[in-house]
Amino acid sequence: MNLLKSILFVGLGGAFGSVARFLISYGIGKYYSQPFPFATFLTNIIGCFLIGSLYGYSIKNDLGNSYFNFLLITGACGGFTTFSSFSYENFNLIQQQNYITPIIYILLSVFIGITFTVIGFKLIK
């Protein structure tokens, strides 16, 4: 595979996913003003459904490391929400019957992620 072409497909997909995420947040923000972060929650759930569907399609059609995967799975879903990538990685670990690693990955990602957000905030504030 051509690396430059792969990067281009990931970038195009990422741009599309990022704009889609922005539009969902913008649209929901106009009509929903509660403290629960509904736009992010909805984006994460949609992204997980999309990445699962696209991955299933890719496996079913033996697409492997194709430009389809770079454009839609890595690019669009990754740009739309990294939570979908996080979910996809854990799903793959569970499919391989590796149950301890996803538990550790989930716990560390959530707790260390929040901790580093606080540290970054306090360092700059």
Side-chain angles (χ1 to χ4, degrees), residues 13-51:
F16 175 79
S18 295
V19 169
R21 178 182 66 232
F22 169 78
L23 290 174
I24 287 174
S25 293
Y26 179 78
I28 289 175
K30 287 181 76 170
Y31 303 103
Y32 180 81
S33 62
Q34 300 300 313
F36 183 81
F38 186 68
T40 301
F41 176 75
L42 184 62
T43 300
N44 286 339
I45 299 307
I46 291 169
C48 289
F49 176 77
L50 287 174
I51 205 165

Side-chain angles (χ1 to χ4, degrees), residues 95-107:
Q95 269 195 321
Q96 297 164 15
Q97 298 181 346
N98 183 346
Y99 303 109
I100 301 300
T101 303
I103 291 169
I104 293 168
Y105 181 34
I106 292 164
L107 292 174

Side-chain angles (χ1 to χ4, degrees), residues 39-110:
T40 301
F41 176 75
L42 184 62
T43 300
N44 286 339
I45 299 307
I46 291 169
C48 289
F49 176 77
L50 287 174
I51 205 165
S53 299
L54 292 167
Y55 178 60
Y57 180 85
S58 177
I59 295 297
K60 180 179 177 182
N61 294 287
D62 197 30
L63 296 178
N65 283 332
S66 66
Y67 294 122
F68 170 88
N69 289 345
F70 292 136
L71 178 70
L72 296 176
I73 294 175
T74 305
C77 288
F80 188 61
T81 169
T82 57
F83 187 81
S84 63
S85 299
F86 175 74
S87 175
Y88 170 73
E89 290 167 343
N90 281 294
F91 173 73
N92 280 331
L93 289 167
I94 292 166
Q95 269 195 321
Q96 297 164 15
Q97 298 181 346
N98 183 346
Y99 303 109
I100 301 300
T101 303
I103 291 169
I104 293 168
Y105 181 34
I106 292 164
L107 292 174
L108 288 176
S109 295
V110 171

